[in-house]
Amino acid sequence: IDRAARGSGFSPAMLEAMVFLESAGRADVIAGSDPAAASGLAQIMAETGRNFLGMRVDLARSRKLTRKIERAYARGKIARAHRLEERRRVVDHRFSPPHALAGMARYLTKARGYLGRNDLAVASYHMGIGNLQDALRAYGAKRISYVRLYFDSAPDRHPGAWRILASLSDDSRHYYFKVLAAKEIMRLYR
């Protein structure tokens, strides 16, 4: 995490908090059963990893290896499952912790370039840069803090921004605050 954060403008504690929320530190987790979905330590979508972050994501091979891994675990062949997981890390960098963390830092850096602020970049990690840009446009400001956007958007004040944030069915609008809470949890743990 320290290596991935170096030079990104994001603290290791922020990246660690995001990893805590995204995967609980499990490098081989998949949101669902298809590796096209958010996968790996940083829960990066296959398309985002390949097309936006320039990661190696051979989805066909990743899917095939994922099926083999599941069968190996089901049959109690743990050593075989671990070998297959190692092979999957080579063909799908989202499952390789150093690559996944570098991808997360790269996403945040690119998002900050589009959005102009670290807090907005972190919020966009879950809701997407485009959704957040739409909410900011509807609010009528480009670079306000996420806290202001969140608390100042309501049906009677900035209803367009409120509708966009409220329409995100996966609770994305709360992600930034969850990251801050996770960061504090890890600080208190230490």
Side-chain angles (χ1 to χ4, degrees):
I1 289 175
D2 289 339
R3 191 176 315 121
R6 199 172 299 126
S8 71
F10 293 89
S11 71
M14 184 66 76
L15 267 61
E16 179 186 49
M18 292 173 68
V19 166
F20 180 75
L21 284 177
E22 293 295 335
S23 66
R26 298 177 325 211
D28 293 312
V29 69
I30 300 172
S33 59
D34 185 355
S39 297
L41 197 64
Q43 289 292 280
I44 297 170
M45 303 285 289
E47 184 178 334
T48 301
R50 187 175 45 247
N51 298 329
F52 187 64
L53 302 175
M55 299 174 78
R56 180 174 185 187
V57 179
D58 183 336
L59 193 53
R61 290 175 70 194
S62 185
R63 283 177 170 146
K64 187 175 181 179
L65 286 165
T66 297
R67 286 191 298 273
K68 288 181 177 183
I69 291 164
E70 290 169 359
R71 280 195 303 271
Y73 276 122
R75 294 177 180 150
K77 297 181 178 182
I78 307 303
R80 175 168 169 67
H82 289 300
R83 286 192 304 275
L84 292 166
E85 286 171 336
E86 190 59 41
R87 285 177 45 200
R88 184 175 61 184
R89 287 183 187 103
V90 173
V91 301
D92 191 338
H93 284 170
R94 297 171 303 149
F95 293 102
S96 165
H99 288 101
L101 292 168
M104 176 182 272
R106 198 163 39 256
Y107 178 95
L108 292 171
T109 302
K110 285 181 156 200
R112 182 183 53 225
Y114 285 105
L115 299 163
R117 297 177 54 101
N118 280 7
D119 61 334
L120 296 176
V122 171
S124 80
Y125 195 79
H126 203 267
M127 76 172 64
I129 295 167
N131 286 330
L132 189 48
Q133 286 174 322
D134 290 346
L136 290 166
R137 251 189 310 279
Y139 183 92
K142 280 187 175 181
R143 294 195 175 163
I144 59 171
S145 72
Y146 186 73
V147 171
R148 182 168 177 198
L149 173 67
Y150 180 90
F151 285 109
D152 206 22
S153 297
D156 61 337
R157 294 174 47 116
H158 306 287
W162 177 82
R163 269 192 303 282
I164 291 166
L165 293 174
S167 73
L168 301 170
S169 60
D170 61 358
D171 223 19
S172 289
R173 67 185 180 269
H174 305 303
Y175 182 76
Y176 179 66
F177 302 108
K178 291 177 181 180
V179 171
L180 294 179
K183 187 176 168 187
E184 181 65 5
I185 287 167
M186 297 307 289
R187 186 190 70 77
L188 290 170
Y189 169 76
R190 286 192 179 80

